[in-house]
Amino acid sequence: MGIKVAKFGGTSLADASAFRRVAAIINSDPDRRYIVASAPGKRFSDDIKVTDMLYECYNHAIAGENTDASFDKVKARFADIINDLGVDFDIDSEIELVKEDSKNNLTRDYFASRGEFLNSKILAKYLGFSFVDAKDVIFFDEYGHLDEDKTYHIFAEKVGAYEAAVVPGFYGTAADGSIKTFSRGGSDVSGAIGARALMADIYENFTDVSGMMSADPRIVSSPKIIDTISYTELRELTYMGATVLHDEAVFPVRRAGIPINIKNTMRPEDRGTMIVSNAPPSDRPVTGVAGRCGFSTINVEKDLMNTELGFGRRVLHAIEKNGVSFEHCPTGIDTMSVFVASEDIKNCKEKIIDDINNKVNPDVITIEDGIALIAVVGRGMANRTNIAARLFTAIGYNNIHIKMIDQGSCGTNIIIGVAESDYKKTVEVIYNEFIG
Ligand code: ADP
Ligand code: ASP
Ligand code: MG
């Protein structure tokens, strides 16, 4: 028998009918034996994810306020699912246990993790699968990074001991023994870890769309679904804003060459997107376009900057000293710009300016906010000419001003910076030029 690890996202497990669909998908293939589950997500656009409800519980708890009302909302979400499915699960006692445990685990991560914990227990019961707590099989080291060796070894031993099991996504155990979550959307990472640990034939990631789209569907209407994409292209697109998969989910499976298949829980018959190491040559230069708002640029100008040994290093060190990492750093002869996340510098702008002034004594230093970065990604770009010409002609023709251009050394991506107000239009223009 083969091994498939299947991860189901929040919308795929948002209510009882979603659970039924998930069970039908799992039962239709005996290889789908190891399941990673998210907390219940949104049932409709204004709905609240259980994870967000739990953050609210934490906010009340940490303020010393009564948490009963906010926990009742969480309980109601689970009670709806349990009652409708007819699963024998005592949600009242489980919530009481969480409240009790939380007195000794008063952390944001502990609270947030309970959505995945409870949902996975319910799913395991409903499927007749074993339940294995992620705290016993996923481990972080003292720096907060995944402890890969320990995790893969123990995950394989404990989860692999069962014919079929459900493991909660999103969290594991930190080096000090407390519960630690990944960043938002992190169940994708847990699924990839499970697939790697069990050396699965495939990692199936079930969500609410029929695969990875070549642009954000909230910007371009009905963008084309990508049939096959390489791990590298996927990483570049997810990092830059294609939020369908957590951008760190690629690492555990890439090294082991385990393919990822993004599939739609509502339409499991659709092929979805295959993510592999050796994607076949593409007849299209651009595989996809993705971007994000919320960047700032720190611009430094100084005459004869290029003759000053260590100038760039000292500017970057001033930024690093403030705990800020940089995204891009294009330079001119006497100018240097450093692109950073606006969120990271919002409380230390003045300090960064002071530090740069002290370190390199520039002629001018300014910070500009409101920048969007957009990645144009395609394995078919590397060996084709004329791509940059087409890209910049299309953008220029639409009167969009480009603030930054950066091309990765592998030639499979071009990143441009534009004003946030031009973000959506730029994505549309690029999509229409290369894909639409
Ligand atoms: P899940 O709860 O299953 O993890 P997410 O909400 O995290 O699902 O991710 C799926 C959503 O990602 C889609 O509904 C879509 O709105 C969004 N999305 C953003 N960019 C893309 C893209 N390039 N391709 C597909 N979906 C995308
Ligand atoms: N439930 C978590 C979140 O909302 C993790 C996940 O769904 O992947 O971010
Ligand atoms: Mg997700």
Side-chain angles (χ1 to χ4, degrees):
M1 206 191 316
I3 295 181
K4 291 183 176 176
V5 168
K7 176 257 170 181
F8 291 88
T11 35
S12 303
L13 290 166
D15 59 21
S17 53
F19 264 68
R20 288 195 186 92
R21 258 192 307 273
V22 165
I25 291 171
I26 294 169
N27 292 331
S28 71
D29 184 342
D31 289 353
R32 284 190 186 120
R33 297 192 281 139
Y34 300 109
I35 310 303
V36 172
S38 283
K42 293 185 179 194
R43 296 158 294 181
F44 41 87
S45 67
D46 291 340
D47 200 13
I48 302 174
K49 294 180 175 185
V50 163
T51 307
D52 291 308
M53 293 178 168
L54 289 161
Y55 283 129
E56 187 190 297
C57 296
Y58 168 73
N59 290 340
H60 288 302
I62 200 74
E65 295 161 7
N66 190 306
T67 55
D68 288 351
S70 31
F71 267 120
D72 280 351
K73 290 189 218 160
V74 175
K75 199 193 315 186
R77 282 293 302 268
F78 285 117
D80 273 356
I81 295 172
I82 294 158
N83 296 337
D84 193 334
L85 294 177
V87 182
D88 175 22
F89 190 85
D90 186 353
I91 189 67
D92 291 317
S93 316
E94 291 281 349
I95 293 281
E96 285 315 309
L97 262 176
V98 170
K99 283 186 187 168
E100 200 49 42
D101 276 359
S102 71
K103 290 181 186 150
N104 300 319
N105 295 285
L106 202 52
T107 67
R108 206 168 176 266
D109 285 8
Y110 172 77
F111 277 73
S113 71
R114 296 305 88 184
E116 270 68 13
F117 173 78
L118 293 170
N119 217 26
S120 300
K121 272 186 135 178
I122 296 167
L123 181 63
K125 263 246 159 108
Y126 184 55
L127 293 169
F129 283 20
S130 301
F131 168 80
V132 181
D133 193 343
K135 85 168 171 33
D136 299 325
V137 291
I138 293 187
F139 302 94
F140 297 91
D141 63 20
E142 58 192 299
Y143 306 103
H145 299 138
L146 179 73
D147 186 336
E148 293 192 60
D149 291 345
K150 184 174 175 186
T151 296
Y152 296 152
H153 178 74
I154 296 181
F155 197 114
E157 196 178 79
K158 291 201 171 157
V159 180
Y162 295 103
E163 261 309 284
V166 180
V167 182
F170 196 33
Y171 71 94
T173 297
D176 66 1
S178 64
I179 294 285
K180 176 175 164 55
T181 65
F182 294 99
S183 55
R184 294 301 300 264
S187 300
D188 291 332
V189 186
S190 310
I193 290 169
R196 163 64 185 81
L198 297 164
M199 288 308 281
D201 303 309
I202 193 163
Y203 169 30
E204 294 181 317
N205 189 287
F206 281 90
T207 183
D208 60 353
V209 283
S210 289
M212 172 121 191
M213 297 173 188
S214 41
D216 190 328
R218 292 161 295 191
I219 298 177
V220 173
S221 86
S222 307
K224 291 201 171 97
I225 301 228
I226 300 169
D227 201 59
T228 306
I229 185 172
S230 69
Y231 295 122
T232 310
E233 292 170 295
L234 176 89
R235 162 82 180 141
E236 283 164 358
L237 287 170
T238 52
Y239 181 76
M240 285 305 295
T243 53
V244 64
L245 197 74
H246 192 291
D247 67 284
E248 289 170 24
V250 73
F251 295 115
V253 284
R254 177 163 74 180
R255 250 167 263 137
I258 298 167
I260 309 175
N261 188 193
I262 300 181
K263 283 180 80 72
N264 192 344
T265 305
M266 307 287 282
R267 298 176 55 95
E269 64 284 1
D270 288 354
R271 177 187 184 275
T273 299
M274 287 300 296
I275 300 147
V276 295
S277 50
N278 287 318
S282 172
D283 50 6
R284 241 192 249 137
V286 174
T287 305
V289 51
R292 273 190 283 148
C293 291
F295 292 97
S296 301
T297 166
I298 303 167
N299 302 308
V300 185
E301 290 178 31
K302 187 173 187 185
D303 285 348
L304 296 173
M305 155 195 299
N306 57 335
T307 61
E308 250 185 69
L309 196 64
F311 187 96
R313 178 180 51 76
R314 290 199 296 276
V315 170
L316 292 178
H317 186 239
I319 295 170
E320 179 190 339
K321 237 178 73 183
N322 285 277
V324 175
S325 61
F326 75 95
E327 299 283 331
H328 300 278
C329 181
T331 54
I333 307 292
D334 295 325
T335 62
M336 172 175 178
S337 299
V338 187
F339 284 74
V340 295
S342 309
E343 179 67 22
D344 292 354
I345 59 163
K346 73 171 194 255
N347 297 322
C348 55
K349 275 186 186 171
E350 299 306 318
K351 176 84 172 35
I352 287 180
I353 290 177
D354 280 355
D355 288 345
I356 293 177
N357 271 325
N358 291 338
K359 280 192 183 271
V360 297
N361 191 26
D363 300 332
V364 182
I365 171 165
T366 54
I367 295 185
E368 183 185 348
D369 296 324
I371 291 172
L373 294 179
I374 299 170
V376 186
V377 175
R379 59 189 182 284
M381 274 162 54
N383 47 15
R384 282 186 171 87
T385 53
N386 204 31
I387 303 303
R390 273 176 70 189
L391 176 65
F392 299 125
T393 306
I395 292 174
Y397 191 75
N398 282 277
N399 290 321
I400 298 166
H401 175 65
I402 298 177
K403 292 174 175 290
M404 195 272 299
I405 302 168
D406 202 349
Q407 181 167 29
S409 56
C410 56
T412 58
N413 86 33
I414 298 175
I415 295 181
I416 56 167
V418 297
E420 282 180 351
S421 51
D422 286 330
Y423 168 57
K424 289 186 174 170
K425 186 172 168 193
T426 312
V427 170
E428 277 169 345
V429 166
I430 297 170
Y431 179 86
N432 291 337
E433 174 63 30
F434 290 104
I435 303 164

